[in-house]
Amino acid sequence: MAERTGSVKQQLAHLVKSSIQATFPGLSDVEPQVAVSAKFGDYQCNNAMGLWSRIKGSGTEFKNPNSVGQGLARNLPQSEIIESTSVAGPGFVNINLSNDWISKRIKHMLVDGIQTWAPILLVKRAVVDFSSPNIAKEMHVGNLRSTIIGDTLARMFEFSAVDVLRRNHVGDWGTQFGMLIEYLFEEFPNWEDVGNQAIGDLQEFYKASKKRFDDDASFKERAQQAVVKLQGGEVKHRAAWKKICEISRSEFDLVYKRLNVHLEEKGESFYNPYIPDTIKELTDKGLIEESEGARVIFLEGFNIPLIVVKKDGGYNYASTDLTAIKYRLQVEQAEWIIYITDVGQQQHFDMVFSAARKAGWLPQPEEKKFPRVSHVGFGLVLGSDGKRFRTRSSEVVRLVELLDEAKARSKDELIQRLEKNGTISDWTDGELEQTAEAVGYGAVKYADLKNNRLTNYVFSFDQMLKNQGNTAVYLEYAHARICSIVRRSNRDIDTLKKTGTITLSHHDERALAFHLIQFAEVVEEACNNLLPNVLCEYLYDLSEMFNQFYTNCRVIDSPEETSRLLLCEATATVMRKCFELLGINPVFKL
């Protein structure tokens, strides 16, 4: 397999680094600052001002930031990447890329595969903790956001050759199990023979047991004793717990299957046996104090302590999460642990991370080194009324039904359009089904991912299934259209990849090609900042740039047909990889 060369930005940064070392041998600690330029070149090096502030007054030959910029431009190593440089204002070095090099880079990608454009990240192994629904409860739209965002982050890291441990930290251990198990025993003494029928619809079963728990004091007491028996390892209670988890898991799997998301479950119960050792270590290190009957850790910068053992001696989220961090760092050897939950849990994670640093398991954030931990927060999903997304009966929306409705609407619209333009006879039932699924589920994912995750977003089928504007439907159309251009040319694209060359003489050819080669650094930025919307913006801009190119540059039967078909193919290849990273299946005809 051909080697990854790193993003264009990374390659330019290496050249700038060499120039800084040649120009200022004493300042080897300075990091190159390279960014895409809005005005004067393709990229810009912005190091001159910072370097000037360090050398002025030291009897240097340089007179001002502009002369520092001139020195940096002069000392850039010879490279086929750079066509020309110029220096503007207070030392900004504008860099123009060589058209030949851009063409070659795209051609190599077409021959060797887009994997060669995967960014090179510093992290080698990451835990991505996402989805994490509670057993016996309905998966809700918050779990949906966590699942979609987490899957995309995991896909981007995996593409970048990071070893990703996809973890489903399900809520499978806690006081609610006492209530469920006791209710099961009392309502169905022979539950083992009756099997799944005893529980039936798990949501209804949960509601009925909760009502009993709230209304009947003696049942509540028996339920609390059942928790103690479960945690003590009683065989009968363990078996009932396993059965409830199994039923819940099969309901979650219906959602994961539709979304094509793969996770490895390591729930709260997994870490339970390790908690006593964690508490002991934290106690031995002098971190844990008694406070109002509970055992807590006082942390700088927080006005409440982190409770790690409750008054009744029971463990809580903090005890489990601290144990999980320790396990992930020391046993699973993760360098970056990423948690995807709603923004409401920000403080909890800030406190847990702070305690882990106090314990010496993690470096301080200002050290900017691995291992590190990050909380990826996200906002609420709202209904069209601007309130939390619910069904009419104010129940939480069932995710399976939500996804099925997206698919059904997408199929209706597809059939209507094909009937209208008289092409429905060209489609098999299987193709209709697959396309409706790709577009319907893709629309739900993209509507979520295109927003900055910290904002709330309004869930609207009408908006997300529009075929205009920044939607998955529009982008699927754009991709299918490019595929049809390549098909209509009747040229063998695989042969063209090997024998053809790309020329960038028209302004719109150059603009499209330049956007294509930025793909690696966009994925790199989305990974480093944990922001999938950066990739969505890039994908939407790519389709807009392609439209501009296609409007102004005739492809089929033009003198430049070969070169322009290769640009079409490169655009479709990059779009498909973007879709894949966003967890969306591409469609090839629409």
Side-chain angles (χ1 to χ4, degrees):
M1 192 179 120
E3 227 178 285
R4 293 181 296 155
T5 51
S7 65
V8 180
K9 201 166 160 183
Q10 276 177 334
Q11 292 182 60
L12 290 173
H14 287 312
L15 296 174
V16 169
K17 182 87 174 160
S18 301
S19 173
I20 293 171
Q21 284 169 345
T23 318
F24 303 101
L27 299 179
S28 59
D29 62 324
V30 175
E31 285 305 314
Q33 291 173 19
V34 177
V36 172
S37 170
K39 259 200 270 188
F40 301 112
D42 294 322
Y43 286 87
Q44 199 173 60
C45 161
N46 302 325
N47 281 96
M49 301 268 284
L51 287 164
W52 171 248
S53 69
R54 291 190 51 181
I55 59 163
K56 67 177 173 191
S58 63
T60 169
E61 64 189 271
F62 297 100
K63 302 285 175 279
N64 52 37
N66 183 282
S67 64
V68 171
Q70 301 285 354
L72 290 176
R74 229 182 0 261
N75 286 326
L76 277 170
Q78 275 299 106
S79 163
E80 60 170 350
I81 303 178
I82 298 174
E83 181 68 45
S84 64
T85 59
S86 62
V87 179
F92 298 122
V93 181
N94 297 309
I95 300 170
N96 286 300
L97 304 187
S98 146
N99 281 5
D100 282 352
W101 182 80
I102 295 174
S103 300
K104 268 200 272 190
R105 185 163 170 86
I106 293 173
K107 179 92 187 297
H108 286 157
M109 181 276 286
L110 286 171
V111 173
D112 298 329
I114 194 153
Q115 189 59 43
T116 56
W117 279 10
I120 297 168
L121 303 179
L122 295 172
V123 63
K124 299 286 176 280
R125 175 177 289 177
V127 166
V128 183
D129 176 327
F130 67 107
S131 194
S132 311
N134 285 317
I135 292 283
K137 286 189 183 171
E138 186 73 69
M139 270 181 92
H140 53 80
V141 281
N143 298 125
L144 180 69
R145 287 208 81 179
S146 174
T147 306
I148 290 171
I149 295 167
D151 181 52
T152 286
L153 291 174
R155 284 169 182 266
M156 290 194 295
F157 280 110
E158 285 157 351
F159 173 60
S160 310
V162 176
D163 178 18
V164 177
L165 309 180
R166 293 163 161 259
R167 291 287 176 259
N168 200 1
H169 188 88
V170 294
D172 64 352
W173 200 248
T175 48
Q176 81 268 29
F177 281 100
M179 166 184 99
L180 293 162
I181 291 168
E182 193 54 34
Y183 188 73
L184 180 65
F185 289 168
E186 292 186 16
E187 292 294 312
F188 301 96
N190 62 338
W191 67 273
E192 283 159 299
D193 307 328
V194 185
N196 290 12
Q197 279 75 36
I199 291 173
D201 182 317
L202 195 52
Q203 307 322 310
E204 296 308 318
F205 186 85
Y206 185 91
K207 277 183 214 150
S209 64
K210 179 84 172 80
K211 187 173 185 331
R212 184 87 184 274
F213 185 83
D214 293 340
D215 298 348
D216 179 340
S218 68
F219 174 80
K220 185 175 181 173
E221 205 171 298
R222 291 194 298 280
Q224 285 162 342
Q225 285 160 7
V227 178
V228 177
K229 288 176 182 169
L230 169 66
Q231 293 181 343
E234 289 242 343
V235 177
K236 193 171 87 160
H237 289 69
R238 277 290 165 117
W241 169 72
K242 274 191 173 144
K243 174 51 92 188
I244 293 165
C245 289
E246 193 186 296
I247 294 172
S248 216
R249 217 171 270 129
S250 60
E251 289 191 8
F252 300 157
D253 284 344
L254 295 173
V255 172
Y256 297 142
K257 195 169 169 223
R258 282 163 174 76
L259 294 173
N260 188 22
V261 168
H262 304 282
L263 285 141
E264 187 185 338
E265 188 181 303
K266 273 202 167 101
E268 290 172 6
S269 63
F270 175 83
Y271 300 102
N272 217 46
Y274 303 100
I275 295 178
D277 280 352
T278 304
I279 301 297
K280 184 179 184 310
E281 181 182 333
L282 296 171
T283 306
D284 292 348
K285 286 179 171 173
L287 269 62
I288 293 181
E289 300 173 43
E290 293 281 329
S291 173
E292 295 176 26
R295 302 179 68 194
V296 305
I297 300 175
F298 286 98
L299 299 162
E300 216 175 295
F302 297 96
N303 51 14
I304 50 167
L306 184 68
I307 298 171
V308 290
V309 183
K310 295 185 295 190
K311 283 180 191 170
D312 61 6
Y315 301 131
N316 60 2
Y317 288 135
S319 14
T320 307
D321 285 335
L322 281 166
T323 303
I325 285 188
K326 186 181 170 205
Y327 183 89
R328 288 162 173 179
L329 291 171
Q330 296 173 6
V331 180
E332 294 181 324
Q333 302 280 298
E335 294 175 318
W336 196 355
I337 310 171
I338 299 161
Y339 296 81
I340 294 105
T341 75
D342 64 272
V343 286
Q345 295 184 46
Q346 181 74 53
Q347 189 187 44
H348 165 76
F349 280 106
D350 285 347
M351 292 178 79
V352 168
F353 298 163
S354 174
R357 289 189 185 101
K358 206 171 173 182
W361 303 336
L362 289 167
Q364 293 302 324
E366 56 273 15
E367 293 179 61
K368 288 192 165 58
K369 62 182 190 185
F370 293 114
R372 67 171 68 146
V373 285
S374 298
H375 176 248
V376 174
F378 54 81
L380 299 171
V381 182
L382 307 174
S384 49
D385 57 358
K387 295 182 180 150
R388 249 176 204 265
F389 191 51
R390 293 267 196 265
T391 56
R392 283 194 189 87
S393 58
S394 89
E395 290 285 322
V396 171
V397 179
R398 290 204 157 185
L399 292 193
V400 170
E401 289 166 14
L402 190 81
L403 294 168
D404 288 351
E405 186 175 344
K407 177 184 163 182
R409 284 177 180 235
S410 154
K411 191 171 181 178
D412 287 348
E413 283 177 27
L414 178 63
I415 289 170
Q416 269 175 22
R417 193 172 50 78
L418 296 174
E419 281 174 343
K420 194 172 163 190
N421 62 25
T423 55
I424 194 145
S425 56
D426 302 341
W427 289 65
T428 65
D429 287 350
E431 283 178 323
L432 285 172
E433 193 69 9
Q434 264 181 317
T435 304
E437 213 162 87
V439 174
Y441 300 161
V444 173
K445 289 185 177 188
Y446 190 80
D448 190 322
L449 294 166
K450 75 174 182 181
N451 301 292
N452 181 311
R453 55 179 167 73
L454 293 168
T455 57
N456 298 338
Y457 91 98
V458 175
F459 189 99
S460 158
F461 283 123
D462 291 340
Q463 288 300 319
M464 65 178 64
L465 290 166
K466 272 187 175 161
N467 58 13
Q468 291 298 316
N470 190 5
T471 67
V473 186
Y474 168 74
L475 293 164
E476 291 275 29
Y477 271 107
H479 173 259
R481 182 178 171 211
I482 299 170
C483 295
S484 86
I485 296 165
V486 175
R487 277 197 302 271
R488 283 204 322 270
S489 73
N490 289 321
R491 305 280 299 277
D492 178 359
I493 198 74
D494 288 329
T495 306
L496 291 188
K497 285 179 192 178
K498 296 186 184 79
T499 59
T501 51
I502 296 172
T503 51
L504 305 173
S505 30
H506 191 286
H507 170 267
D508 291 325
E509 291 172 320
R510 173 62 161 70
L512 176 61
F514 180 56
H515 193 70
L516 284 169
I517 64 164
Q518 289 172 59
F519 170 70
E521 61 214 49
V522 168
V523 177
E524 187 184 345
E525 185 194 336
C527 287
N528 288 338
N529 298 326
L530 306 169
L531 289 172
N533 61 299
V534 169
L535 184 64
C536 296
E537 275 162 40
Y538 170 84
L539 173 58
Y540 180 64
D541 289 345
L542 177 59
S543 72
E544 294 288 86
M545 281 188 170
F546 181 83
N547 285 345
Q548 178 84 2
F549 153 78
Y550 191 62
T551 303
N552 297 327
C553 302
R554 191 157 57 93
V555 176
I556 297 173
D557 295 335
S558 69
E560 305 85 357
E561 183 182 88
T562 297
S563 169
R564 287 175 179 174
L565 280 172
L566 289 172
L567 281 175
C568 289
E569 183 62 18
T571 303
T573 303
V574 170
M575 284 187 86
R576 280 196 288 279
K577 183 48 79 173
C578 290
F579 283 141
E580 189 189 313
L581 298 178
L582 298 169
I584 297 171
N585 287 332
V587 297
F588 293 83
K589 70 174 196 178
L590 261 175

